[in-house]
Amino acid sequence: MPNTEFSRENDAAQDPSAQVNTSAGALSGAQRAAVTALVDSIQPVAEELGDRFDSHGQQLAIVGGPVRDALLGRATNDVDLTTDAVPQRILELIDGWADSVWTVGIEFGTVGLRKRGLQLEITTYRSEDYSPKSRKPEVAYGTNIHDDLLRRDFTVNAMAVRLPSQEFVDPFGGLEDLRAKVLRTPGRPEDSFSDDPLRIMRAVRFAAQLGFSLAPEVAEAARNMADRLAIVSAERVRDEFTKLMLSPDPRRGIELMVDLGVADHVMPEIPRMRLEIDEHHRHKDVYEHSLTVLDQAMDLERKRGHEPDLVLRLAALLHDIGKPRTRAFEGGNRVTFHHHEVVGASMSRKRMNALRFPKDVTTQVSTLVALHLRFHGYGKGEWTDSAVRRYARDAGDQLERLHILTRADCTTRNRRKAAALARSYDDIERRISELAQQEELDRIRPDLDGNEIQEVLGVKPGPLVGKAYRYLLELRLENGPMEKEKVVAELRSWAAEHLEQEGRQEK
C-alpha cells in the first residue's frame, strides 16, 4: 500500500521538506483513505504522469486546495500540481502524452493540460514578491517543495501528496490547523501578505467558505496591512469577493472584512452603514439590517430551489447603501431616507464598475436596488391590474429576484406586521401569476409593432414611430390586450392630437 503518512525518508540535505513538522500527528485512517481517494480520482493519469516525471528525475506532487478539500471530505474540481521542472521542461515531459496543452499562465510558471477529459495545471516551484507599487508578482523558480509550500498563503493549503509514491508532505502543520479550523500562514503573516496582499481577501473568503477562524497574528497582520490591497488589480479583488458572496456564510466574511478594516479598501459603503438607524426599526442599524436581509435572501433562495445567486446576494447586501447619503432628521425625532433606493442604485453601479464586475451583473444588481421599495406602495392590494403589470414589467427578468429581495427585506420583530407583509406579497405574486398566464407578462409588447405603426400613420421610420410605440405600450399596460381595430383608432387619435400640439409649439 502507498505510504500516505508524513514524508520523512528523503535526504534532508537534498530536500528540506524531509524536515517535516510532526507535531500534528499522523494521518487518521479516514484521512489516509481520503488522500488515496484523491489520487485514485485522477487515475490512471496520476500514475502515468508521476512515473513520467520520476523517470526523468523530476519531482511532482498534488498540492494545495485539492489536498485540503480531500482531507475535509469536500468535492474538488481542480487538480493542481507542483514540480521542480521549469515550464519548458514540463512542456517537454508532456509532449506527445497530453491530449491538449495551453500556456496562458506560463509567465507565472504554470502549464495547463488535458488528458482523458481531466484538466490539470502544473506549476514550477516558485516564490512571489510584490514591489511596493506593483500589481503583478515577480516570479522566481525554486528547487524544492519545502520552499514552494512556504510561499503559499495558509498552512492548510501548504500540504502536498507526492506522485507516484503518494507520500503526504506537511512541513508547516497544516493538518493540525485543518483539525482546529484555523488559518495560519507557513511563515510570518506580514511576509505572506506583503508577497501578495490579495491573501488578506483570501483569508476572509476562506473563513466564509470553510467556516475557519483567523489566528490572532493573521488577523492583526490583515488589519495592519489592509491598505496594501490598493496595489492588487480590481479584477483579482472582485474574484475573491465573488467567491466570498457565493460561500455558505458570506455574512461571516463580510463581518471580518469590516472588523479588520478590509472593507474600507474594497467596498467602503458597507462599513459606512453601521451607525445609520433604519427608518422602520430603530433598534438596529442599517448594517445589521442589511446582513439580516442577506441571510434571509439566502434562506429563501434555498427554499425556492435556486442555486447560490451572486446578483441576489449582492442586491441584498447593497440595497440600503444609499441611506447614509440621504439621511435627514425631521420633527418629532423622525429619521428619513428619501429616495435612498435611487441613490443606492447609482452607488451600487459605481462601486461594481470600480471592481470590474460584468456589465450585466452590475445592471441587474442596480435595478434590484432601485426597485426594492416599490412593493411598499402596494398596501392591502389597492393596486390596479395596470399597476401590477408595470411592477412586473419594470422588474423584467429580475422579477423572481425582486420577489425574494422584497420578502427578505422584512426584518421586523413584530409578528403581526411581518405576517401582514407576507400576505400582501403572497397576493401580489398571485396576481402577477394570473396576469402572466393571461397575457404572458414577461413578453408584453404593444398590440402593433413598428411596421404596423408606420402603415397606420403613413409615416417613415423616425422619432414619431418611437413615441407612438411607447404610447401603445402604456395603453397595453393600462388596459391589457385590445382588439386591433380599437388600437388603430386610439393610435390615430393620439397621433392627431400629438401632431396638433407639435404644430402649436412650432408657432
Side-chain angles (χ1 to χ4, degrees):
M1 180 176 177
N3 174 23
T4 53
E5 297 294 335
F6 289 96
S7 173
R8 299 186 179 92
E9 298 177 358
N10 296 326
D11 182 2
Q14 295 180 0
D15 187 350
S17 66
Q19 302 169 358
V20 176
N21 175 5
T22 60
S23 62
L27 289 167
S28 67
Q31 288 166 334
R32 279 197 303 273
V35 170
T36 300
L38 170 62
V39 178
D40 288 345
S41 69
I42 58 173
Q43 292 290 19
V45 173
E47 184 176 356
E48 291 178 12
L49 195 58
D51 288 340
R52 198 174 187 89
F53 274 65
D54 187 54
S55 65
H56 288 84
Q58 304 286 177
Q59 302 172 19
L60 184 69
I62 306 172
V63 70
V67 179
R68 177 201 68 221
D69 288 342
L71 294 170
L72 287 173
R74 300 173 77 238
T76 182
N77 296 320
D78 300 322
V79 183
D80 299 323
L81 300 108
T82 187
T83 179
D84 60 346
V86 297
Q88 188 57 45
R89 183 60 171 154
I90 297 173
L91 290 173
E92 292 172 359
L93 291 173
I94 63 176
D95 183 40
W97 177 80
D99 296 332
S100 61
V101 176
W102 55 94
T103 57
V104 175
I106 199 165
E107 64 176 310
F108 299 111
T110 299
V111 173
L113 66 93
R114 185 181 300 277
K115 180 71 174 180
R116 298 190 184 95
L118 191 67
Q119 186 170 307
L120 308 95
E121 288 191 345
I122 307 175
T123 302
T124 306
Y125 296 157
R126 64 186 185 184
S127 61
E128 293 178 350
D129 185 46
Y130 278 78
S131 63
K133 297 182 180 181
S134 173
R135 287 180 180 268
K136 293 185 178 180
E138 297 176 0
V139 177
Y141 298 136
T143 58
N144 63 75
I145 196 170
H146 177 279
D147 291 348
D148 181 75
L149 296 177
L150 176 63
R151 59 155 285 278
R152 294 181 180 267
D153 51 7
F154 304 107
T155 59
V156 295
N157 294 329
M159 297 179 286
V161 178
R162 291 186 185 274
L163 297 177
S165 65
Q166 296 191 31
E167 292 173 321
F168 180 69
V169 183
D170 179 23
F172 305 107
L175 184 60
E176 183 176 6
D177 290 337
L178 201 66
R179 289 167 176 162
K181 294 188 175 182
V182 64
L183 291 174
R184 299 184 190 278
T185 52
R188 291 190 337 125
E190 293 82 3
D191 295 336
S192 182
F193 294 158
S194 180
D195 287 346
D196 185 354
L198 187 68
R199 290 171 175 175
I200 297 171
M201 276 296 295
R202 286 172 64 82
V204 297
R205 190 255 289 184
F206 280 129
Q209 198 172 55
L210 302 176
F212 284 22
S213 61
L214 274 59
E217 68 276 11
V218 171
E220 186 64 19
R223 182 178 289 108
N224 294 336
M225 300 178 69
D227 60 344
R228 286 276 287 162
L229 282 165
I231 72 167
V232 181
S233 70
E235 291 82 358
R236 295 184 73 212
V237 173
R238 173 205 64 206
D239 289 347
E240 285 299 325
F241 189 68
T242 296
K243 292 174 183 177
L244 184 157
M245 291 300 296
L246 292 174
S247 71
D249 190 7
R251 180 183 186 129
R252 182 186 184 97
I254 292 163
E255 288 176 334
L256 263 177
M257 286 178 64
V258 171
D259 292 345
L260 297 176
V262 173
D264 293 333
H265 305 280
V266 175
M267 199 168 276
E269 295 83 359
I270 296 175
R272 288 172 189 163
M273 294 191 290
R274 278 182 294 182
L275 299 179
E276 301 300 327
I277 302 171
D278 181 277
E279 83 269 35
H280 300 304
H281 316 287
R282 297 181 182 178
H283 56 271
K284 55 175 171 276
D285 62 31
V286 176
Y287 170 68
E288 287 295 332
H289 165 75
S290 298
L291 292 179
T292 300
V293 172
L294 173 59
D295 287 339
Q296 294 185 167
M298 290 173 56
D299 186 49
L300 288 169
E301 179 186 78
R302 287 188 291 269
K303 288 179 178 178
R304 291 192 175 214
H306 300 308
E307 293 296 319
D309 186 340
L310 177 64
V311 169
L312 173 64
R313 295 182 181 195
L314 285 171
L317 177 64
L318 302 177
H319 75 286
D320 276 347
I321 64 168
K323 284 187 173 179
R325 288 192 183 179
T326 58
R327 185 183 188 187
F329 296 93
E330 299 182 358
N333 294 322
R334 185 166 175 262
V335 182
T336 63
F337 302 93
H338 294 309
H339 306 300
H340 75 268
E341 73 280 12
V342 178
V343 174
S346 176
M347 292 172 65
S348 298
R349 183 179 294 276
K350 183 177 180 180
R351 176 55 54 193
M352 292 180 68
N353 283 336
L355 288 173
R356 303 291 192 272
F357 275 94
K359 288 183 179 180
D360 60 333
V361 174
T362 299
T363 298
Q364 290 163 0
V365 171
S366 60
T367 295
L368 289 168
V369 173
L371 293 176
H372 83 274
L373 283 185
R374 183 77 65 86
F375 164 73
H376 292 287
Y378 187 72
K380 297 181 180 180
E382 299 94 341
W383 280 8
T384 63
D385 284 352
S386 62
V388 175
R389 290 189 190 98
R390 286 190 177 87
Y391 183 83
R393 176 177 172 271
D394 289 347
D397 60 2
Q398 300 307 301
L399 183 59
E400 171 65 5
R401 286 170 171 150
L402 183 59
H403 288 333
I404 296 175
L405 175 60
T406 304
R407 288 180 180 275
D409 197 21
C410 175
T411 60
T412 179
R413 295 178 182 175
N414 184 318
R415 293 185 178 180
R416 181 178 299 177
K417 184 176 181 180
L421 285 169
R423 285 194 300 270
S424 291
Y425 213 86
D426 287 343
D427 186 59
I428 195 173
E429 283 202 63
R430 175 189 58 78
R431 291 179 64 187
I432 289 172
S433 178
E434 290 176 353
L435 287 169
Q437 291 175 11
Q438 297 167 12
E439 307 173 18
E440 297 186 353
L441 252 180
D442 56 342
R443 294 195 296 275
I444 281 184
R445 297 290 185 273
D447 292 293
L448 301 180
D449 62 23
N451 291 329
E452 291 171 315
I453 291 171
Q454 294 174 55
E455 182 179 345
V456 170
L457 299 182
V459 297
K460 295 180 179 180
L464 179 63
V465 177
K467 292 178 182 178
Y469 185 93
R470 289 190 289 275
Y471 167 73
L472 292 181
L473 179 58
E474 287 298 315
L475 200 66
R476 171 67 184 273
L477 288 169
E478 186 68 31
N479 300 313
M482 298 168 59
E483 293 181 358
K484 186 171 182 177
E485 293 79 6
K486 187 173 183 180
V487 175
V488 169
E490 291 281 356
L491 175 60
R492 285 174 174 161
S493 176
W494 170 85
E497 182 179 350
H498 181 78
L499 292 173
E500 184 180 344
Q501 289 177 349
E502 285 190 349
R504 286 197 301 267
Q505 290 173 358
E506 288 177 358
K507 294 179 180 178

